[in-house]
Amino acid sequence: MSKHIPNDHIYQEAQLAPMTVAEINKLTANARALPPSGDQTHVLVEDGEDPWVVSHGGSLYYCTVDRLKQKVMVGKFSHLKEMATAELVQVWPGKQGTTPEYVEIWAPELQLIDGKWYIYFALYNAKNGAERLFALEGISGHPQGDYEFQGQLQIPTDRWAIDGTVLATDDGQLYFVWSGWEGFTNVSQNIYIARMSNPWTIASDRVCISRPEYEWEKQGYPHVNEGPQVLTRNGRIFIVYSASGSWTDDYCLGQLTYLGSDMLDPASWRKEPEPVFSKTDTIFGPGHACFVEIDQQDYIIYHAARRSQAGWARQVRAKPFIWNADGSPNFGVPE
């Protein structure tokens, strides 16, 4: 495996705007050397991104990567304030199954489906358009135990794909939701959904349910919809996603609401016309969230830029959120 610098996203070098990857990496390095803006009370991890936290059996589990982004790690802890100091156990690459060549692992997610643990992630290969999504299946019954590599999630319309997550309906049907390109060039990242026949097998072609269309989704180029996450309550289903360039101050969260009927019909999803979580005067680029309920309180856990113009220097933050009278989430503003 060749040496690399994390966040050195070579395949985007010619496309990212309004600055190059080299310029973004310089901003990132500068920001890490400067004090962060914003109140640090709610910071869980001082240097981190793409958080994934799940509650199970009275414990919390944090699925992440090592700082070189070459290992999938899972930490166990009791309270959110312990997240940064929890011991991280490497679960992949492991002893089971094959290990493909890769340069980085992106945005792993740990999910419990039908009593088994699964981890989903993208592999980055520093080749234009080569990123794809993969699945691990737990074989020990414990989030920090052994996993078997199940390989790539094979989608009939095979295109660049990252940020995969699973949506499970009350009747047990599984759907896969992710961010991908429409074609073979990086002009826009859209949100796609497909039906699954089991937790590692796609059983339909993809359907686009969101593409960047509002100005708040189109800050920076290419235009971005990514990081979709499923949020459910009282039978209602929402997909909260990240919009605009992750390297910009304007990275934010948008929301899709499921209206009923066919999940694979784009008309079954309504997009909110405004972001549901966006920057403040001191906290910039809030995005790539996950949601966890702790002691009957719902939390949004997300990453935000260390300061304005911070590139990819990010912190993991958390805050409680409430629900509106119509049953939709109300995240308030970043803290």
Side-chain angles (χ1 to χ4, degrees):
M1 208 175 290
S2 61
K3 292 183 179 180
H4 74 288
I5 301 172
N7 292 326
D8 182 14
H9 301 318
I10 301 167
Y11 76 92
Q12 291 181 332
E13 182 71 53
Q15 292 104 340
L16 288 191
M19 59 196 79
T20 67
V21 168
E23 290 170 331
I24 297 170
N25 283 335
K26 185 175 181 180
L27 287 178
T28 302
N30 290 342
R32 285 181 172 143
L34 295 170
S37 64
D39 187 347
Q40 297 294 287
T41 304
H42 304 289
V43 172
L44 300 179
V45 179
E46 291 188 3
D47 184 17
E49 65 284 308
D50 305 336
W52 181 264
V53 177
V54 61
S55 176
H56 178 72
S59 296
L60 297 170
Y61 295 91
Y62 173 37
C63 188
T64 186
V65 292
D66 69 304
R67 296 320 294 152
L68 288 177
K69 300 185 179 180
Q70 294 182 347
K71 302 172 184 177
V72 178
M73 316 291 287
V74 177
K76 179 182 179 181
F77 50 104
S78 299
H79 305 283
L80 284 178
K81 64 183 180 181
E82 301 168 350
M83 187 164 146
T85 57
E87 180 184 358
L88 296 174
V89 175
Q90 179 181 334
V91 298
W92 193 79
K95 296 173 279 187
Q96 306 295 327
T98 59
T99 301
E101 291 187 4
Y102 64 92
V103 176
E104 290 183 1
I105 302 166
W106 289 354
E109 290 193 6
L110 171 69
Q111 299 206 15
L112 183 64
I113 302 171
D114 294 332
K116 275 193 172 183
W117 292 100
Y118 295 87
I119 295 177
Y120 301 91
F121 54 83
L123 291 181
Y124 164 63
N125 296 294
K127 298 175 184 176
N128 186 34
E131 288 65 44
R132 295 297 187 273
L133 288 155
F134 298 82
L136 307 176
E137 182 181 27
I139 57 177
S140 70
H142 192 278
Q144 293 178 305
D146 291 335
Y147 287 80
E148 183 172 1
F149 183 65
Q150 291 290 355
Q152 181 181 329
L153 286 98
Q154 300 287 346
I155 301 160
T157 301
D158 181 35
R159 300 288 188 274
W160 183 93
I162 65 168
D163 294 349
T165 195
V166 173
L167 188 166
T169 61
D170 289 341
D171 63 4
Q173 178 61 57
L174 302 179
Y175 295 86
F176 201 60
V177 187
W178 72 96
S179 175
W181 296 353
E182 182 172 1
F184 295 97
T185 56
N186 189 11
V187 295
S188 175
Q189 289 177 226
N190 306 325
I191 305 298
Y192 292 93
I193 188 171
R195 191 174 66 256
M196 308 181 84
S197 57
N198 62 45
W200 63 89
T201 305
I202 303 296
S204 77
D205 207 350
R206 64 180 190 166
V207 173
C208 181
I209 55 173
S210 179
R211 63 181 72 244
E213 54 186 309
Y214 296 109
E215 282 304 305
W216 55 269
E217 297 179 285
K218 297 162 71 172
Q219 301 303 301
Y221 184 83
H223 301 146
V224 172
N225 278 185
E226 65 183 9
Q229 301 293 355
V230 177
L231 180 59
T232 62
R233 184 174 187 260
N234 295 336
R236 301 201 65 191
I237 300 173
F238 307 92
I239 292 177
V240 178
Y241 64 94
S242 304
S244 284
S246 61
W247 58 95
T248 72
D249 287 356
D250 296 300
Y251 200 51
C252 62
L253 294 179
Q255 181 178 297
L256 304 175
T257 300
Y258 175 57
L259 304 176
S261 192
D262 184 2
M263 283 267 182
L264 301 184
D265 182 351
S268 297
W269 298 91
R270 182 188 72 234
K271 178 184 290 191
E272 296 303 318
E274 300 292 339
V276 294
F277 201 61
S278 56
K279 67 182 180 183
T280 69
D281 291 340
T282 57
I283 299 176
F284 304 90
H288 206 114
C290 70
F291 311 99
V292 63
E293 182 180 333
I294 304 171
D295 296 330
Q296 298 183 313
Q297 173 62 60
D298 290 300
Y299 289 84
I300 178 172
I301 301 176
Y302 62 99
H303 73 224
R306 187 173 171 85
R307 55 189 296 120
S308 179
Q309 297 297 303
W312 288 305
R314 297 170 287 203
Q315 301 177 311
V316 176
R317 293 175 168 265
K319 67 162 293 188
F321 70 90
I322 59 175
W323 296 86
N324 295 314
D326 67 359
S328 62
N330 183 338
F331 303 118
V333 298
E335 295 179 349

